[in-house]
Amino acid sequence: MNSNEKNTALYEKMAAEQDTFRDWLKSQSPEEVLNHAYEYTVREDIVMAMEELELSDKQAQALLDSPSPLADVYRHFEKLETGYMDVIRESIEERANEMHRAKEEQRAAPVYPHS
C-alpha cells in the first residue's frame, strides 16, 4: 500500500469510527449528548483535517495500527494547551469595540430636525 492509499484508508477508518460514535451519541439522553458535544465537534474537525492531510507512510501506518485512531488523536488533542479561550475572549472584546464604535458614530452624526 502506498502513502496515498494509507492516508485514504486512515481517513476512511476515522470516518467510520466517527459514524459509530455519532450513532451511539444519537441513542443517548439529551443530557449525555450535551456532555459529549465538544468531543463530537473536535472529532468532526479531526476527520475533516484528515481529508486533506498527507501523513508519511510511518505516521499513517502507526495510526492505522490503532484500533481507534480517531479516539487516540482526540485524547492527545484534549491534553494540549490551546489558545482557544484567548480567541474567544479576543472575539468578545473586538465585537464589543465594533458595536461601541458604531454607536458613537451614530451619536456623532448630525441630526437635522427639518427636511
Side-chain angles (χ1 to χ4, degrees):
M1 192 180 312
N2 68 34
S3 180
N4 192 36
E5 291 168 336
K6 283 183 183 179
N7 277 282
T8 299
L10 179 58
Y11 166 76
E12 290 171 355
K13 185 173 184 176
M14 287 179 150
E17 188 179 338
Q18 182 67 350
D19 289 344
T20 301
F21 183 75
R22 181 184 307 108
D23 290 343
W24 171 81
L25 201 53
K26 289 193 291 189
S27 71
Q28 301 304 303
S29 69
E31 183 177 331
E32 192 65 19
V33 170
L34 287 175
N35 288 337
H36 291 279
Y38 175 77
E39 178 180 1
Y40 175 79
T41 301
V42 171
R43 289 169 59 111
E44 282 287 306
D45 289 345
I46 293 167
V47 172
M48 186 172 52
M50 277 305 304
E51 272 186 289
E52 297 179 7
L53 187 62
E54 289 295 324
L55 298 174
S56 71
D57 280 346
K58 291 176 184 179
Q59 290 172 317
Q61 189 60 58
L63 288 173
L64 277 169
D65 290 343
S66 168
S68 53
L70 180 56
D72 290 340
V73 172
Y74 173 75
R75 280 191 298 274
H76 177 78
F77 174 82
E78 183 175 45
K79 294 174 190 171
L80 296 176
E81 291 290 326
T82 65
Y84 176 75
M85 290 308 293
D86 292 334
V87 172
I88 294 291
R89 282 186 283 276
E90 288 171 13
S91 296
I92 293 167
E93 290 171 353
E94 288 174 11
R95 184 62 185 141
N97 288 338
E98 289 170 0
M99 294 175 77
H100 176 72
R101 274 192 299 277
K103 228 179 224 184
E104 290 299 312
E105 288 172 4
Q106 196 174 30
R107 278 192 207 136
V111 176
Y112 299 102
H114 307 289
S115 56

